[in-house]
Amino acid sequence: MTTYSFKDLTGAFVHPIAGTYILGGGNIGMGQITISMAQDRTVQDVAADGSVMTSYIAGDNGSCSLEVQQTSDLHDFLVNWFNVCKTLADNGDIANWASAQISIRNIVDGSVHTLSGVSPGKMPDKVYQSQGQKITWVLPAANVINE
C-alpha cells in the first residue's frame, strides 16, 4: 500500500532579484502544481505507401503551472516577481528575465523536478465575483529535469 499527501511536497522558487519563496503542500493558499514538458519526443510521418518515418525531437523545455488562491502569499510573490521582471525588461534590462529556478521534491516517492530558465508567461486571468477564486500561473521553463 502507498499513501499520497500533498503535504509531502517541498520546494523553492528562486529569482536573483525577487528573492526566494518556499513551496510546499502545506503552503496556505496552494492549489496544485503541474509540471509539463513542451516537446513530444517522437514524431511520425506516414507516406502515401504507408511507410513510417520516425523522428526523435530534442528539447527539455516545458512549464510549471501553479494554482493558488487569489489572496495567497504565493500569488502576491508572483505578482511582485512579474512586475520586477517586466519593469526591468521595459527599461532595457532583460538579464534576469529568464533567471528564475523552481525545485520541487516529493519526499515520499522521491520524485524531483528542477526547472531552470523560468520566465514570466503572462499575468494570469483574474475573476472577480462573490466567491474568491484560484489563479493559475503558467511559467515557461527553458529546461525541465525529471528525476
Side-chain angles (χ1 to χ4, degrees):
M1 179 176 78
T2 59
T3 303
Y4 171 83
S5 171
F6 192 54
K7 289 186 175 190
D8 293 328
L9 187 74
T10 183
F13 181 105
V14 179
H15 187 267
I17 296 175
T20 300
Y21 190 92
I22 302 302
L23 299 169
N27 285 82
I28 296 173
M30 177 69 77
Q32 68 181 16
I33 300 172
T34 304
I35 307 298
S36 303
M37 300 300 293
Q39 300 300 321
D40 285 329
R41 292 302 186 145
T42 300
V43 175
Q44 293 183 329
D45 180 72
V46 180
D49 66 357
S51 64
V52 177
M53 176 179 62
T54 300
S55 298
Y56 168 78
I57 308 297
D60 289 327
N61 61 312
S63 65
C64 177
S65 297
L66 298 170
E67 182 187 71
V68 300
Q69 290 178 338
Q70 66 186 34
T71 58
S72 68
D73 288 342
L74 179 53
H75 176 65
D76 290 344
F77 175 85
L78 292 170
V79 168
N80 179 63
W81 166 69
F82 181 94
N83 288 331
V84 164
C85 290
K86 182 183 179 306
T87 299
L88 289 170
D90 287 348
N91 289 308
D93 181 359
I94 58 167
N96 289 297
W97 182 257
S99 61
Q101 182 171 343
I102 299 173
S103 300
I104 299 171
R105 178 175 175 250
N106 184 296
I107 59 175
V108 171
D109 70 10
S111 61
V112 176
H113 289 89
T114 304
L115 295 82
S116 58
V118 177
S119 57
K122 70 173 190 80
M123 186 68 75
D125 299 337
K126 185 168 182 177
V127 177
Y128 292 97
Q129 64 181 38
S130 61
Q131 181 177 339
Q133 298 295 305
K134 289 193 172 88
I135 292 176
T136 301
W137 285 84
V138 180
L139 311 176
N143 191 35
V144 178
I145 298 171
N146 299 288
E147 298 179 42

